[in-house]
Amino acid sequence: MFGWKKKRHDSKMTLDDVKMTLDDVMSKLRPDLSRESLGVGPDFPGVAPNPLMSSDARKRNAELRTGALALGVLVDWREVNSNPRAVLMFDVETSDGISFRGIADEDLTITELTRLGPGQTLPVRYRPAVMDHYVALARDAAPAHVQQLSDVIASRKRA
């Protein structure tokens, strides 16, 4: 009963099976955070159940803090738990003219949560070398730099 059991070879799960299981668990626990409810395809990154426990998430967040600056228009957001942690979805536009859908997993204050609204433009950081749809709010961006980026994007749209 409490002894060691030999593992059977046919019971091994592949990495895809584990990923599928995590996606299924996430969609059952939080249907509002499923890929279908967020309106994204299967290639879009999923929301990590606990990013504080994931070394990949910590590494990604460190890289995003020094990433390139872009502007993101808030499409939608979901509160994940009562920390308050929120998942924000943006339509991101870079100074190079690249547009993509981005997702940010952020810890926000109650005041920041109450000020969120679809259509709001916020500065975000992304990793140009990776382009994996992950972004982070650029809270450290200088207002003058954000305005300059906004002017560059607006002038490109006019031309």
Side-chain angles (χ1 to χ4, degrees), residues 80-139:
V80 177
N81 59 16
S82 60
N83 280 358
R85 181 176 146 226
V87 174
L88 311 168
M89 190 180 315
F90 293 98
D91 283 334
V92 179
E93 190 155 353
T94 70
S95 61
D96 300 333
I98 300 170
S99 297
F100 63 94
R101 177 68 50 104
I103 189 168
D105 192 341
E106 297 283 339
D107 290 327
L108 302 173
T109 65
I110 297 296
T111 305
E112 289 171 324
L113 271 177
T114 58
R115 292 181 179 166
L116 287 179
Q120 185 177 7
T121 301
L122 298 167
V124 296
R125 294 203 181 273
Y126 71 104
R127 299 179 296 173
V130 179
M131 293 301 290
D132 60 355
H133 297 285
Y134 286 109
V135 298
L137 290 178
R139 295 181 168 132

Side-chain angles (χ1 to χ4, degrees), residues 3-35:
W4 177 80
K5 287 187 177 181
K6 184 177 178 181
K7 287 187 175 182
R8 294 178 46 158
H9 292 289
D10 59 352
S11 66
K12 287 186 178 178
M13 294 180 72
T14 65
L15 186 58
D16 289 336
D17 295 336
V18 172
K19 184 176 184 288
M20 179 67 104
T21 304
L22 289 175
D23 288 342
D24 291 342
V25 169
M26 188 60 155
S27 66
K28 288 179 182 174
L29 291 175
R30 291 296 307 267
D32 59 324
L33 293 176
S34 70
R35 285 183 165 85

Side-chain angles (χ1 to χ4, degrees), residues 69 71 123 138-151:
L69 190 63
L71 290 180
R139 295 181 168 132
D140 62 334
H145 194 198
V146 173
Q147 184 61 47
Q148 182 184 18
L149 177 64
S150 179
D151 293 342

